[in-house]
Amino acid sequence: MTFSLVLEQLLNGVQLGVMLFLMAAGLTLIFGVMGLINLAHGSLYMVGAFACAVVAAATGSFWLGLAASLAFAAAAGALMEVVVIRRLYGRDHLDQVLATFALILIFSEGTRWVFGSFPLYLDIPQLLQGAVPLPGGTAYPLYRLAIIVTGGLVAIGLTLLISRTRLGMRIRAGESDREMIAALGVDIRTLYTLVFALGSALAGLAGAMVGALQSVQVGMGEPILILAFVVIVIGGIGSIKGALIGALLVGVVDTMGRFLLPQIVGLFMSSAQAGPVGGAIASMLIYLLMAAILAIKPRGLFPAQA
Amino acid sequence: MISREFLINGVLALLLLAVPFIASAVGQPFTITLATRIAILALAATGLNIALGLGGLVSFGHAAFFGVGGYVAGILSSHAFSGDPMIFGFEGSKQMLLIWLTAAIVAGLLGLLIGVISLRTSGVYFIMITLAFAQMVYYFAISWPAYGGEDGLSIVVRNQFPGVNTMRPLTFFGVAYGALIVGLGLFAMIRDSRFGAALQAVRQNEVRVASVGISPLPIRLTAFVLSAMMTALAGCLYADLNRFVSPSMLSWHMSGELIVLIILGGTGRLFGPVAGAMLYVVIESALGGITERWQFFLGLILLATVLFARGGVIGLLAGKARHG
C-alpha cells in the first residue's frame, strides 16, 4: 500500500463526493425552500445522462451533450413541478413520498419504453482524455479531476448565487417565511418552479458527467439518490454547506472504506475470508457513520434554522 | 348498527377466501398463487400499518424486515436441508412455526435497533433514515456471500406446517390466509387497546400526550417493533411462496410497494392493506398481461390516487374515516 495508491483512492472519494454534492444540493434546496421531499430527483439525474448520451451521439460533441443535459433536466424538472409537484406543497410527507415514488415508476418505465433496456455509452471528450501524473509516480485520469473542479466551481457559484444575488435573496426569504414574501409581491409560484428547475439542472449535470464514467441506463439514479439522502441527513436538511461537507464525508468514507477495510480485516483473518467480510462491512460503513452522527446530532451536522 | 366499512371488510375477507377455491374447482391453479400473494402482501402491509396508520410513522424501510423474515426462512431451511450446523451447533429447521418465531425475534431486535436511532428524529428525517437503514441491510445481503449474495437463496422444499401438506397450493393459501386473519385480529386488538389509544394520540398531538404524562418514545418504539415483527412474518411466508429469497425482497422498491398497498387501500383502515394488495396484484397481473410496461401505468394510477382519491379504495367505498 503506497502513498500514491492512497492518494488515488482519496481523489476517487472526493470525486464521488462532488457528484453526491450536485445531487444533494438540489434535494436540500428543494426541501429547504418548498418543504418537499423529492424521490424523483434520481430520475432527473437519469434524464440528464440520457440527454447527454443521445445529443453527444447525434452531434459528436460531448459539450453539446452536456449543455443538453442541463437544458433537458431543467425542462423536465420545471414540467414536473408545474404538473405534479405544485399540488404537493401543502400535503404531508407521506403523500409527497408516494407521488414522487409514482413519478419514478413513470420516468423509469417511460425511458425504458423509448430507449430499451440496453445501456447507452458516452465517451470522455477528447480534451479531457489522458492522465495527470500524481506525486509518487502513478497517474490520475484527467476527466475525474475535471469533475472535481466542476463540482468545486458549482459549489462556489451556488454559494454566491444564494448569498449575493437578488434571486438568492428571494430563495432565502422563501425559506424563512413564504407567506410574507408572497405578501410582498414576489411571485412565489415562479420562484418555486425556478428553484426546482435549478436543482434539476444540477442533478442532470451530475448524471451527464457520471454517464461518461459508467454506462447510461435506466435506474442509474436510484443508488446515488439514496446516497444523496444519507448526505443531506448527515449535513442537515436545508443546508447547502451541510450538503457539501456531508457529500465529501460520505464520498471519502465510502471509497476509503471499500479500499482499506478488506486489508484491515485481512490482518485478523485469512485473506480468502477477509475480502468478503471487509467488503460487507465497507458496504454498511456510511450508514453506520450516519447512525453515529444522528445519535449525537439528530438534526444533522449543520441544521438549517427551522 | 353494522357500519358500512364493517360490511365491506367482511365482503373483502370472504372474496379473498372464496377465489382460490373457485379457481381450484375450475382448474386455474395460478390464480391460487395470486390469492396467496395477496394474502401475504396484505399481512406485510398490515404490519407496516401499525407503525404508519396508527402511529403516523412513515417507515420507508420496512423491506428490511420483510426481507429479514425471508432470509430467516431461507437460511434455517437451507441448513436443515443440507445438514450443515449453524452457529452454536443449531441445525436449522423446516418447521414454519419455529421459523416464524425466529424471524419475529430477529426482526424485533433489528426493529429495536433501527427504531431507537430513527425515532430520535421525525418527519422527513425519519423517512430518509429508515430508507437508509434498509439500504444498509440490502447491501449487506448483496455483499455477504455465504447465503447466495446477489443471486439469492433457494428453498428446495417448502417449509412444513404441523398437520398439513404445504406443497399443495390450496393448503398453503390456507396457511397464509390464516396468518393474515390473525394479523388483522392483532391489528384490531392493538388499535382498540389502551396502548393503541396512546399510539394514535401520539400521532395526533405529541405535545398533549407528553403533557398528560405519557412519554411518546416508548410507545412509538413498541409500535415500530411490533410492526417489524409482523412484516417479518409475512416475509417468511413470501419466501415459502416463491421458494426463493433474494436481496430484491430487501430493496427500497419493496418498501415503496408496502406503503403503496396501504395508501391504495386507505391509510389507517383495518382492511386498507387487504384492499390495496388485492387491487395491486390485480392491476399487476391484468396490466402485466397487456403490456410489459405495466409499471408505467401503475405509476399513473398511483399518482392519481395520491392527488385525487386520498381515502383509497376503502375510502371510496365506505366514505370518510371518522378520525383524521
Side-chain angles (χ1 to χ4, degrees), chain A residues 81-130:
Chain A
E81 202 272 343
V82 171
V83 177
V84 178
I85 303 288
R86 192 168 271 186
R87 302 166 202 276
L88 296 171
Y89 294 141
R91 300 285 192 87
D92 60 16
H93 295 311
L94 179 61
D95 283 357
Q96 301 175 349
V97 163
L98 275 162
T100 52
F101 184 74
L103 283 174
I104 294 182
L105 295 180
I106 294 170
F107 266 89
S108 293
E109 284 303 318
T111 311
R112 201 170 279 148
W113 220 337
V114 177
F115 294 100
S117 297
F118 292 104
L120 303 180
Y121 292 97
L122 189 58
D123 289 325
I124 293 172
Q126 200 90 50
L127 184 68
L128 296 175
Q129 282 173 2

Short mmCIF file of all heavy atoms in Angstrom, two decimals, chain A residues 81-130:
data_model
loop_
_atom_site.label_atom_id
_atom_site.label_comp_id
_atom_site.label_asym_id
_atom_site.label_seq_id
_atom_site.Cartn_x
_atom_site.Cartn_y
_atom_site.Cartn_z
N GLU A 81 -42.63 20.03 -11.89
CA GLU A 81 -43.09 20.93 -10.83
C GLU A 81 -44.47 21.48 -11.16
O GLU A 81 -45.38 21.45 -10.34
CB GLU A 81 -42.09 22.09 -10.66
CG GLU A 81 -42.16 22.77 -9.31
CD GLU A 81 -43.14 23.90 -9.24
OE1 GLU A 81 -43.57 24.41 -10.29
OE2 GLU A 81 -43.50 24.29 -8.12
N VAL A 82 -44.63 21.92 -12.41
CA VAL A 82 -45.89 22.56 -12.78
C VAL A 82 -47.04 21.55 -12.79
O VAL A 82 -48.14 21.84 -12.33
CB VAL A 82 -45.74 23.25 -14.16
CG1 VAL A 82 -47.09 23.72 -14.67
CG2 VAL A 82 -44.78 24.41 -14.06
N VAL A 83 -46.78 20.34 -13.30
CA VAL A 83 -47.87 19.37 -13.46
C VAL A 83 -48.21 18.68 -12.15
O VAL A 83 -49.37 18.53 -11.80
CB VAL A 83 -47.51 18.33 -14.55
CG1 VAL A 83 -48.60 17.28 -14.65
CG2 VAL A 83 -47.30 19.02 -15.88
N VAL A 84 -47.19 18.23 -11.42
CA VAL A 84 -47.46 17.38 -10.25
C VAL A 84 -47.05 18.03 -8.92
O VAL A 84 -47.87 18.18 -8.02
CB VAL A 84 -46.72 16.02 -10.37
CG1 VAL A 84 -46.97 15.17 -9.15
CG2 VAL A 84 -47.15 15.30 -11.62
N ILE A 85 -45.77 18.42 -8.84
CA ILE A 85 -45.19 18.78 -7.55
C ILE A 85 -45.95 19.94 -6.89
O ILE A 85 -46.15 19.96 -5.69
CB ILE A 85 -43.70 19.16 -7.73
CG1 ILE A 85 -42.93 18.02 -8.37
CG2 ILE A 85 -43.08 19.55 -6.41
CD1 ILE A 85 -42.69 16.83 -7.51
N ARG A 86 -46.38 20.89 -7.71
CA ARG A 86 -47.08 22.07 -7.21
C ARG A 86 -48.27 21.71 -6.33
O ARG A 86 -48.61 22.42 -5.39
CB ARG A 86 -47.54 22.86 -8.43
CG ARG A 86 -48.02 24.22 -8.15
CD ARG A 86 -48.17 24.97 -9.44
NE ARG A 86 -46.95 25.65 -9.83
CZ ARG A 86 -46.88 26.47 -10.87
NH1 ARG A 86 -47.95 26.67 -11.61
NH2 ARG A 86 -45.75 27.08 -11.16
N ARG A 87 -48.92 20.59 -6.65
CA ARG A 87 -50.09 20.19 -5.86
C ARG A 87 -49.71 19.56 -4.52
O ARG A 87 -50.58 19.23 -3.72
CB ARG A 87 -50.91 19.17 -6.64
CG ARG A 87 -51.37 19.68 -7.97
CD ARG A 87 -51.88 18.53 -8.84
NE ARG A 87 -51.85 18.90 -10.23
CZ ARG A 87 -52.81 19.59 -10.84
NH1 ARG A 87 -53.88 19.93 -10.18
NH2 ARG A 87 -52.69 19.92 -12.11
N LEU A 88 -48.41 19.33 -4.31
CA LEU A 88 -48.00 18.56 -3.14
C LEU A 88 -47.44 19.41 -2.01
O LEU A 88 -47.18 18.89 -0.93
CB LEU A 88 -46.92 17.54 -3.54
CG LEU A 88 -47.37 16.46 -4.52
CD1 LEU A 88 -46.16 15.67 -5.00
CD2 LEU A 88 -48.36 15.53 -3.86
N TYR A 89 -47.24 20.72 -2.25
CA TYR A 89 -46.58 21.53 -1.23
C TYR A 89 -47.35 21.53 0.09
O TYR A 89 -46.78 21.49 1.15
CB TYR A 89 -46.39 22.96 -1.72
CG TYR A 89 -45.42 23.07 -2.86
CD1 TYR A 89 -45.63 23.94 -3.91
CD2 TYR A 89 -44.28 22.27 -2.89
CE1 TYR A 89 -44.74 24.02 -4.97
CE2 TYR A 89 -43.40 22.35 -3.94
CZ TYR A 89 -43.63 23.22 -4.97
OH TYR A 89 -42.75 23.30 -6.02
N GLY A 90 -48.69 21.57 -0.02
CA GLY A 90 -49.48 21.65 1.21
C GLY A 90 -49.72 20.30 1.85
O GLY A 90 -50.27 20.23 2.95
N ARG A 91 -49.33 19.23 1.16
CA ARG A 91 -49.64 17.89 1.66
C ARG A 91 -48.60 17.41 2.66
O ARG A 91 -47.53 18.00 2.78
CB ARG A 91 -49.66 16.91 0.48
CG ARG A 91 -50.67 17.24 -0.59
CD ARG A 91 -52.05 16.90 -0.14
NE ARG A 91 -53.00 16.95 -1.26
CZ ARG A 91 -53.24 15.92 -2.06
NH1 ARG A 91 -52.60 14.78 -1.90
NH2 ARG A 91 -54.13 16.02 -3.02
N ASP A 92 -48.92 16.31 3.36
CA ASP A 92 -47.93 15.77 4.30
C ASP A 92 -46.87 14.98 3.52
O ASP A 92 -46.99 14.72 2.33
CB ASP A 92 -48.58 14.94 5.40
CG ASP A 92 -49.34 13.76 4.86
OD1 ASP A 92 -49.13 13.41 3.68
OD2 ASP A 92 -50.15 13.19 5.59
N HIS A 93 -45.80 14.61 4.25
CA HIS A 93 -44.67 13.99 3.58
C HIS A 93 -45.00 12.64 2.98
O HIS A 93 -44.41 12.23 2.00
CB HIS A 93 -43.50 13.86 4.56
CG HIS A 93 -42.97 15.19 5.01
ND1 HIS A 93 -42.66 16.18 4.11
CD2 HIS A 93 -42.73 15.69 6.23
CE1 HIS A 93 -42.25 17.24 4.76
NE2 HIS A 93 -42.27 16.97 6.06
N LEU A 94 -45.97 11.95 3.57
CA LEU A 94 -46.36 10.64 3.05
C LEU A 94 -46.87 10.78 1.62
O LEU A 94 -46.49 10.02 0.73
CB LEU A 94 -47.43 10.03 3.96
CG LEU A 94 -47.95 8.67 3.53
CD1 LEU A 94 -46.83 7.66 3.51
CD2 LEU A 94 -49.05 8.20 4.47
N ASP A 95 -47.73 11.77 1.39
CA ASP A 95 -48.25 11.99 0.04
C ASP A 95 -47.13 12.36 -0.92
O ASP A 95 -47.12 11.92 -2.08
CB ASP A 95 -49.30 13.12 0.05
CG ASP A 95 -50.63 12.65 0.61
OD1 ASP A 95 -50.73 11.45 0.92
OD2 ASP A 95 -51.55 13.47 0.74
N GLN A 96 -46.18 13.17 -0.44
CA GLN A 96 -45.07 13.57 -1.30
C GLN A 96 -44.21 12.36 -1.68
O GLN A 96 -43.82 12.20 -2.84
CB GLN A 96 -44.20 14.61 -0.59
CG GLN A 96 -44.98 15.85 -0.22
CD GLN A 96 -44.17 16.83 0.58
OE1 GLN A 96 -43.08 16.52 1.05
NE2 GLN A 96 -44.69 18.04 0.75
N VAL A 97 -43.95 11.51 -0.70
CA VAL A 97 -43.16 10.31 -0.96
C VAL A 97 -43.84 9.45 -2.02
O VAL A 97 -43.23 9.01 -2.98
CB VAL A 97 -42.97 9.49 0.35
CG1 VAL A 97 -42.54 8.08 0.05
CG2 VAL A 97 -41.95 10.15 1.23
N LEU A 98 -45.15 9.25 -1.84
CA LEU A 98 -45.87 8.36 -2.76
C LEU A 98 -45.96 8.94 -4.16
O LEU A 98 -45.75 8.23 -5.14
CB LEU A 98 -47.27 8.12 -2.22
CG LEU A 98 -47.24 6.99 -1.24
CD1 LEU A 98 -48.47 7.00 -0.40
CD2 LEU A 98 -47.11 5.68 -1.97
N ALA A 99 -46.29 10.22 -4.24
CA ALA A 99 -46.44 10.82 -5.56
C ALA A 99 -45.11 10.80 -6.30
O ALA A 99 -45.06 10.50 -7.50
CB ALA A 99 -46.96 12.25 -5.43
N THR A 100 -44.01 11.10 -5.59
CA THR A 100 -42.73 11.12 -6.29
C THR A 100 -42.23 9.69 -6.56
O THR A 100 -41.52 9.45 -7.53
CB THR A 100 -41.67 11.95 -5.53
OG1 THR A 100 -41.61 11.50 -4.19
CG2 THR A 100 -42.02 13.41 -5.54
N PHE A 101 -42.65 8.74 -5.71
CA PHE A 101 -42.37 7.32 -6.00
C PHE A 101 -43.07 6.92 -7.30
O PHE A 101 -42.50 6.25 -8.16
CB PHE A 101 -42.85 6.45 -4.83
CG PHE A 101 -42.53 4.98 -4.97
CD1 PHE A 101 -41.24 4.53 -4.79
CD2 PHE A 101 -43.52 4.06 -5.26
CE1 PHE A 101 -40.94 3.18 -4.90
CE2 PHE A 101 -43.22 2.71 -5.37
CZ PHE A 101 -41.93 2.27 -5.19
N ALA A 102 -44.31 7.38 -7.44
CA ALA A 102 -45.06 7.11 -8.68
C ALA A 102 -44.33 7.74 -9.87
O ALA A 102 -44.25 7.13 -10.95
CB ALA A 102 -46.48 7.65 -8.57
N LEU A 103 -43.78 8.93 -9.67
CA LEU A 103 -43.05 9.59 -10.75
C LEU A 103 -41.83 8.77 -11.17
O LEU A 103 -41.50 8.71 -12.36
CB LEU A 103 -42.61 10.99 -10.33
CG LEU A 103 -43.70 12.06 -10.32
CD1 LEU A 103 -43.16 13.36 -9.74
CD2 LEU A 103 -44.21 12.30 -11.73
N ILE A 104 -41.16 8.14 -10.19
CA ILE A 104 -40.02 7.29 -10.53
C ILE A 104 -40.45 6.16 -11.45
O ILE A 104 -39.81 5.89 -12.46
CB ILE A 104 -39.39 6.68 -9.26
CG1 ILE A 104 -38.78 7.76 -8.39
CG2 ILE A 104 -38.32 5.65 -9.63
CD1 ILE A 104 -38.12 7.18 -7.17
N LEU A 105 -41.57 5.50 -11.09
CA LEU A 105 -42.06 4.40 -11.92
C LEU A 105 -42.33 4.91 -13.33
O LEU A 105 -41.96 4.28 -14.32
CB LEU A 105 -43.35 3.82 -11.33
CG LEU A 105 -43.25 3.14 -9.97
CD1 LEU A 105 -44.61 2.63 -9.53
CD2 LEU A 105 -42.27 1.98 -10.01
N ILE A 106 -42.98 6.08 -13.41
CA ILE A 106 -43.34 6.62 -14.72
C ILE A 106 -42.08 6.97 -15.52
O ILE A 106 -41.95 6.59 -16.69
CB ILE A 106 -44.25 7.86 -14.56
CG1 ILE A 106 -45.59 7.43 -13.94
CG2 ILE A 106 -44.47 8.56 -15.89
CD1 ILE A 106 -46.46 8.58 -13.50
N PHE A 107 -41.14 7.66 -14.89
CA PHE A 107 -39.92 8.05 -15.60
C PHE A 107 -39.11 6.83 -16.03
O PHE A 107 -38.63 6.76 -17.16
CB PHE A 107 -39.05 8.96 -14.71
CG PHE A 107 -39.29 10.41 -14.93
CD1 PHE A 107 -40.26 11.09 -14.21
CD2 PHE A 107 -38.56 11.11 -15.88
CE1 PHE A 107 -40.50 12.43 -14.42
CE2 PHE A 107 -38.78 12.45 -16.09
CZ PHE A 107 -39.76 13.12 -15.36
N SER A 108 -38.92 5.87 -15.11
CA SER A 108 -38.08 4.71 -15.43
C SER A 108 -38.68 3.89 -16.56
O SER A 108 -38.00 3.56 -17.54
CB SER A 108 -37.90 3.82 -14.20
OG SER A 108 -37.15 4.49 -13.23
N GLU A 109 -39.98 3.58 -16.43
CA GLU A 109 -40.59 2.76 -17.47
C GLU A 109 -40.71 3.53 -18.77
O GLU A 109 -40.55 2.97 -19.85
CB GLU A 109 -41.97 2.26 -17.01
CG GLU A 109 -41.90 1.13 -16.01
CD GLU A 109 -41.12 -0.07 -16.51
OE1 GLU A 109 -41.28 -0.46 -17.69
OE2 GLU A 109 -40.34 -0.63 -15.73
N GLY A 110 -40.98 4.84 -18.67
CA GLY A 110 -41.06 5.66 -19.87
C GLY A 110 -39.74 5.67 -20.61
O GLY A 110 -39.69 5.51 -21.84
N THR A 111 -38.66 5.82 -19.88
CA THR A 111 -37.33 5.83 -20.51
C THR A 111 -37.02 4.47 -21.14
O THR A 111 -36.48 4.39 -22.24
CB THR A 111 -36.25 6.17 -19.47
OG1 THR A 111 -36.66 7.32 -18.75
CG2 THR A 111 -34.92 6.43 -20.12
N ARG A 112 -37.41 3.41 -20.41
CA ARG A 112 -37.15 2.06 -20.95
C ARG A 112 -37.96 1.85 -22.23
O ARG A 112 -37.53 1.18 -23.16
CB ARG A 112 -37.54 1.03 -19.89
CG ARG A 112 -36.87 -0.32 -20.10
CD ARG A 112 -37.08 -1.23 -18.92
NE ARG A 112 -36.15 -0.94 -17.84
CZ ARG A 112 -36.45 -1.10 -16.55
NH1 ARG A 112 -37.64 -1.53 -16.20
NH2 ARG A 112 -35.57 -0.83 -15.63
N TRP A 113 -39.15 2.44 -22.25
CA TRP A 113 -40.00 2.35 -23.42
C TRP A 113 -39.31 2.98 -24.64
O TRP A 113 -39.29 2.43 -25.72
CB TRP A 113 -41.30 3.10 -23.15
CG TRP A 113 -42.52 2.42 -23.68
CD1 TRP A 113 -42.57 1.52 -24.70
CD2 TRP A 113 -43.86 2.58 -23.21
NE1 TRP A 113 -43.86 1.11 -24.88
CE2 TRP A 113 -44.67 1.74 -24.00
CE3 TRP A 113 -44.47 3.36 -22.22
CZ2 TRP A 113 -46.06 1.65 -23.81
CZ3 TRP A 113 -45.84 3.27 -22.04
CH2 TRP A 113 -46.62 2.42 -22.81
N VAL A 114 -38.75 4.14 -24.42
CA VAL A 114 -38.16 4.89 -25.53
C VAL A 114 -36.79 4.31 -25.94
O VAL A 114 -36.52 4.11 -27.12
CB VAL A 114 -38.00 6.38 -25.16
CG1 VAL A 114 -37.32 7.15 -26.29
CG2 VAL A 114 -39.36 6.98 -24.84
N PHE A 115 -35.95 4.00 -24.93
CA PHE A 115 -34.57 3.65 -25.25
C PHE A 115 -34.26 2.16 -25.13
O PHE A 115 -33.15 1.74 -25.43
CB PHE A 115 -33.60 4.43 -24.34
CG PHE A 115 -33.63 5.90 -24.60
CD1 PHE A 115 -34.35 6.75 -23.77
CD2 PHE A 115 -32.95 6.45 -25.68
CE1 PHE A 115 -34.38 8.11 -24.00
CE2 PHE A 115 -32.99 7.81 -25.93
CZ PHE A 115 -33.70 8.64 -25.09
N GLY A 116 -35.22 1.37 -24.64
CA GLY A 116 -34.95 -0.05 -24.45
C GLY A 116 -34.14 -0.29 -23.19
O GLY A 116 -33.77 0.65 -22.48
N SER A 117 -33.87 -1.57 -22.90
CA SER A 117 -33.21 -1.91 -21.65
C SER A 117 -31.69 -1.88 -21.75
O SER A 117 -31.01 -2.02 -20.75
CB SER A 117 -33.65 -3.30 -21.19
OG SER A 117 -35.02 -3.30 -20.93
N PHE A 118 -31.17 -1.74 -22.98
CA PHE A 118 -29.71 -1.78 -23.10
C PHE A 118 -29.10 -0.43 -22.73
O PHE A 118 -29.65 0.61 -23.07
CB PHE A 118 -29.31 -2.16 -24.53
CG PHE A 118 -29.67 -3.57 -24.86
CD1 PHE A 118 -30.77 -3.84 -25.66
CD2 PHE A 118 -28.94 -4.63 -24.33
CE1 PHE A 118 -31.12 -5.15 -25.94
CE2 PHE A 118 -29.30 -5.94 -24.61
CZ PHE A 118 -30.39 -6.20 -25.41
N PRO A 119 -27.98 -0.45 -22.04
CA PRO A 119 -27.35 0.82 -21.67
C PRO A 119 -26.78 1.54 -22.89
O PRO A 119 -26.42 0.92 -23.89
CB PRO A 119 -26.23 0.39 -20.72
CG PRO A 119 -26.02 -1.05 -20.93
CD PRO A 119 -27.28 -1.62 -21.48
N LEU A 120 -26.75 2.87 -22.79
CA LEU A 120 -26.06 3.68 -23.81
C LEU A 120 -24.66 3.98 -23.28
O LEU A 120 -24.41 3.93 -22.08
CB LEU A 120 -26.79 4.99 -24.04
CG LEU A 120 -28.26 4.94 -24.46
CD1 LEU A 120 -28.79 6.35 -24.63
CD2 LEU A 120 -28.41 4.17 -25.75
N TYR A 121 -23.75 4.30 -24.19
CA TYR A 121 -22.41 4.64 -23.74
C TYR A 121 -22.04 6.04 -24.18
O TYR A 121 -22.51 6.54 -25.20
CB TYR A 121 -21.39 3.61 -24.26
CG TYR A 121 -21.61 2.29 -23.62
CD1 TYR A 121 -22.36 1.30 -24.25
CD2 TYR A 121 -21.14 2.04 -22.33
CE1 TYR A 121 -22.61 0.10 -23.63
CE2 TYR A 121 -21.38 0.83 -21.71
CZ TYR A 121 -22.12 -0.13 -22.36
OH TYR A 121 -22.36 -1.32 -21.74
N LEU A 122 -21.22 6.66 -23.36
CA LEU A 122 -20.87 8.05 -23.58
C LEU A 122 -19.35 8.11 -23.46
O LEU A 122 -18.78 7.63 -22.49
CB LEU A 122 -21.55 8.87 -22.49
CG LEU A 122 -21.54 10.38 -22.56
CD1 LEU A 122 -22.18 10.84 -23.86
CD2 LEU A 122 -22.34 10.94 -21.40
N ASP A 123 -18.70 8.69 -24.50
CA ASP A 123 -17.23 8.75 -24.45
C ASP A 123 -16.77 10.01 -23.72
O ASP A 123 -17.42 11.04 -23.76
CB ASP A 123 -16.65 8.75 -25.87
CG ASP A 123 -16.81 7.39 -26.50
OD1 ASP A 123 -16.71 6.39 -25.75
OD2 ASP A 123 -17.06 7.32 -27.71
N ILE A 124 -15.63 9.87 -23.08
CA ILE A 124 -15.00 11.03 -22.46
C ILE A 124 -14.49 11.94 -23.57
O ILE A 124 -13.92 11.46 -24.56
CB ILE A 124 -13.83 10.56 -21.56
CG1 ILE A 124 -14.39 9.77 -20.37
CG2 ILE A 124 -13.00 11.75 -21.08
CD1 ILE A 124 -13.33 9.12 -19.52
N PRO A 125 -14.74 13.26 -23.49
CA PRO A 125 -14.33 14.15 -24.57
C PRO A 125 -12.81 14.14 -24.77
O PRO A 125 -12.05 13.94 -23.83
CB PRO A 125 -14.81 15.52 -24.10
CG PRO A 125 -15.01 15.39 -22.63
CD PRO A 125 -15.41 13.97 -22.40
N GLN A 126 -12.43 14.37 -26.03
CA GLN A 126 -11.02 14.35 -26.44
C GLN A 126 -10.12 15.19 -25.51
O GLN A 126 -9.07 14.76 -25.06
CB GLN A 126 -10.91 14.92 -27.86
CG GLN A 126 -9.64 14.53 -28.59
CD GLN A 126 -9.84 13.23 -29.36
OE1 GLN A 126 -10.82 13.10 -30.10
NE2 GLN A 126 -8.96 12.27 -29.18
N LEU A 127 -10.65 16.38 -25.22
CA LEU A 127 -9.87 17.35 -24.44
C LEU A 127 -9.49 16.82 -23.07
O LEU A 127 -8.45 17.18 -22.53
CB LEU A 127 -10.73 18.62 -24.29
CG LEU A 127 -10.10 19.82 -23.60
CD1 LEU A 127 -8.99 20.39 -24.46
CD2 LEU A 127 -11.18 20.88 -23.35
N LEU A 128 -10.35 15.96 -22.51
CA LEU A 128 -10.14 15.53 -21.13
C LEU A 128 -9.66 14.09 -21.03
O LEU A 128 -9.63 13.50 -19.96
CB LEU A 128 -11.44 15.68 -20.32
CG LEU A 128 -11.94 17.12 -20.17
CD1 LEU A 128 -13.27 17.15 -19.45
CD2 LEU A 128 -10.91 17.96 -19.41
N GLN A 129 -9.31 13.48 -22.19
CA GLN A 129 -8.72 12.14 -22.11
C GLN A 129 -7.29 12.26 -21.62
O GLN A 129 -6.71 13.33 -21.64
CB GLN A 129 -8.78 11.46 -23.48
CG GLN A 129 -10.19 10.93 -23.76
CD GLN A 129 -10.34 10.41 -25.16
OE1 GLN A 129 -9.40 10.40 -25.94
NE2 GLN A 129 -11.55 9.99 -25.49
N GLY A 130 -6.75 11.15 -21.20
CA GLY A 130 -5.37 11.20 -20.71
C GLY A 130 -5.34 11.28 -19.20
O GLY A 130 -6.37 11.21 -18.53
#
